[in-house]
Amino acid sequence: MSDAEREHVVTLLNKAVGRGMITLDEFTVRTDTALGAKTRADLNVVLLDLPGMVNNELARERTELKNTMSTTTRKGHWVVPNELVIRNTLGTTNLDFTAAEVPPVVNVDLDVSLGTVKLLLPAGSSVNADAVEVTAGELKDKVQNTTGNPHFQLKGSVRGGTVVIKRSKR
């Protein structure tokens, strides 16, 4: 279990106070429990009775999106993993990170064959796509900024496809 998981739960407890779900006294007790947690079970116990409050840190580790001759879209509120693998063959993958829960660094591994990947990054974010190998395709990096938060680190291959990286102006 990591300090990041503990901090995530404390953030959720802050939201619970703001929504009137728990008092400041309950917040203090639950925060102490979360910060002292040794296991994920110890950590999750402080959220069990709070509807809609879930420790999503477990879901943040790695997600693979596979797409063959179809479209995959993520927009609105969604939890972005630390590692995102995109396998796209003859399809389209549209990922809008502007309203998502994004960790400080997102590693994106691309495996694109004759497909299109569009990434809309949040304002203030940064990207490094230097490790992407493009063959008979195109990489359009409209962000061109390597400092910012969150940071997206792209690697992998694009064969006969297109990757477009834009940042929200909001």
Side-chain angles (χ1 to χ4, degrees):
M1 168 152 56
S2 69
D3 288 336
E5 288 176 284
R6 290 182 192 93
E7 290 171 18
H8 175 69
V9 169
V10 171
T11 300
L12 292 174
L13 292 171
N14 270 318
K15 289 179 185 177
V17 170
R19 294 177 185 165
M21 300 168 77
I22 59 175
T23 66
L24 286 174
D25 289 337
E26 288 175 296
F27 170 79
T28 301
V29 170
R30 291 176 190 232
T31 298
D32 290 344
T33 302
L35 293 175
K38 302 281 186 228
T39 67
R40 287 194 176 103
D42 294 340
L43 190 60
N44 289 332
V45 76
V46 301
L47 301 174
L48 285 178
D49 62 334
L50 301 175
M53 296 289 168
V54 180
N55 180 6
N56 290 322
E57 288 299 313
L58 296 177
R60 287 184 181 246
E61 294 181 16
R62 183 177 191 271
T63 299
E64 187 170 324
L65 301 174
K66 294 181 185 178
N67 177 345
T68 302
M69 294 175 39
S70 57
T71 301
T72 299
T73 301
R74 296 283 187 276
K75 63 182 179 178
H77 183 267
W78 60 291
V79 178
V80 180
N82 293 323
E83 183 180 354
L84 186 58
V85 179
I86 301 171
R87 299 195 192 287
N88 182 332
T89 304
L90 294 165
T92 302
T93 302
N94 297 312
L95 302 179
D96 181 345
F97 296 94
T98 58
E101 281 186 48
V102 184
V105 176
V106 179
N107 292 300
V108 181
D109 190 356
L110 298 168
D111 181 7
V112 181
S113 297
L114 300 170
T116 301
V117 174
K118 295 178 183 175
L119 306 176
L120 180 59
L121 308 185
S125 61
S126 61
V127 66
N128 183 336
D130 292 343
V132 177
E133 181 182 330
V134 181
T135 306
E138 187 173 18
L139 175 70
K140 296 179 187 177
D141 180 357
K142 297 181 180 182
V143 174
Q144 296 180 350
N145 183 6
T146 56
T147 58
N149 190 24
H151 180 72
F152 293 80
Q153 184 69 44
L154 277 65
K155 67 177 184 176
S157 61
V158 178
R159 295 168 305 283
T162 303
V163 175
V164 179
I165 307 163
K166 297 192 295 188
R167 185 168 45 195
S168 172
K169 291 178 176 62
R170 293 183 261 142

